[in-house]
Amino acid sequence: MERYARIERKTNETDIKLELVIDGEGQSNLDTGVPFLTHMLDLFTKHGQFNLTVAAKGDTEIDDHHTSEDIAICLGQALLEALGDKKGIKRYGNAFVPMDEALAQVVVDLSNRPHLEIRGAEFPAQKVGTFDTELVHEFLWKLALEARMNLHVIIHYGKNTHHMIEAVFKALGRALDEATTIDPRIKGVPSTKGLL
Ligand SMILES: [Mn+2]
């Protein structure tokens, strides 16, 4: 059975349609209205071997906040829904990704216990394109919350803000690819509680 979810979410601030295939080919079809976020989700999809479609209209005339936050909410919901009962998944994922001078690490646990820890995300620049770099935290927190995952993000070092954030999104894709992978040795869910 294909691990797939489609989420539609409409508020006074944003109107989002998002489709996620977990076992994909790294293909994305993205119209987010936030160019830097489009770039990041494209990398995330490629490195996570997902397929991701996003059609978002938001109040970007104000800033990118609502649109970025709400795309994260939809992506988190899609991930949770597509994973279903989580039977056979590896559950944990860990990835280091360098991007030129920057090195990021992302560790995830699809634990049903939402949590976010971030270290080293003191970005030299406040903006990349139109994108406020403080939205990285907002995006990751809403994603962790809605996907009900424990997400640890460590930027070990870096000087260029674009590189630092790019390394995070690539590592996020790779860590989630590992965590969502089905391991045929695992019968049921990988938890001594018997439930995730
Ligand atoms: Mn780039």
Side-chain angles (χ1 to χ4, degrees):
M1 199 181 72
E2 187 178 49
R3 295 192 291 171
Y4 164 86
R6 177 184 166 85
I7 304 291
E8 287 193 34
R9 187 175 187 276
K10 193 176 185 340
T11 69
N12 291 332
E13 296 168 345
T14 64
D15 184 353
I16 296 167
K17 294 177 184 68
L18 183 148
E19 289 178 74
L20 176 70
V21 175
I22 290 184
D23 308 294
E25 294 90 40
Q27 291 175 357
S28 57
N29 185 353
L30 305 169
D31 180 13
T32 74
V34 181
F36 185 69
L37 186 60
T38 295
H39 182 35
M40 294 304 105
L41 290 177
D42 189 33
L43 306 163
F44 164 82
T45 304
K46 177 67 77 179
H47 289 276
Q49 289 292 308
F50 307 122
N51 291 339
L52 179 65
T53 301
V54 180
K57 286 188 186 63
D59 54 3
T60 50
E61 72 282 1
I62 299 173
D63 65 10
D64 296 340
H65 192 117
H66 298 141
T67 305
S68 302
E69 180 178 13
D70 291 359
I71 289 172
I73 289 171
C74 291
L75 182 59
Q77 289 176 349
L79 190 58
L80 186 69
E81 189 181 319
L83 281 171
D85 60 13
K86 298 181 179 169
K87 281 197 177 123
I89 65 166
K90 285 190 169 179
R91 177 181 164 183
Y92 296 97
N94 174 31
F96 282 91
V97 169
M99 172 78 208
D100 293 355
E101 86 299 339
L103 179 66
Q105 180 182 18
V106 172
V107 185
V108 299
D109 176 8
L110 297 170
S111 57
N112 206 32
R113 297 156 67 96
H115 189 91
L116 175 67
E117 288 289 334
I118 300 191
R119 299 287 184 275
E122 291 83 31
F123 299 116
Q126 286 188 343
K127 273 186 183 280
V128 182
T130 62
F131 188 82
D132 291 304
T133 54
E134 66 179 10
L135 294 177
V136 172
H137 183 281
E138 198 63 24
F139 185 93
L140 295 170
W141 170 228
K142 294 301 158 59
L143 179 68
L145 195 60
E146 296 292 334
R148 301 193 60 77
M149 68 175 157
N150 184 0
L151 175 59
H152 289 236
V153 174
I154 305 142
I155 301 172
H156 291 285
Y157 42 79
K159 289 196 173 103
N160 179 285
T161 302
H162 186 127
H163 291 166
M164 292 161 78
I165 299 172
E166 186 161 326
V168 166
F169 275 82
K170 285 177 173 170
L172 178 65
R174 288 182 172 265
L176 277 173
D177 181 39
E178 182 182 0
T180 58
T181 294
I182 304 260
D183 182 338
R185 296 171 303 173
I186 301 168
K187 308 298 176 207
V189 295
S191 167
T192 51
K193 290 181 186 165
L195 197 71
L196 275 177

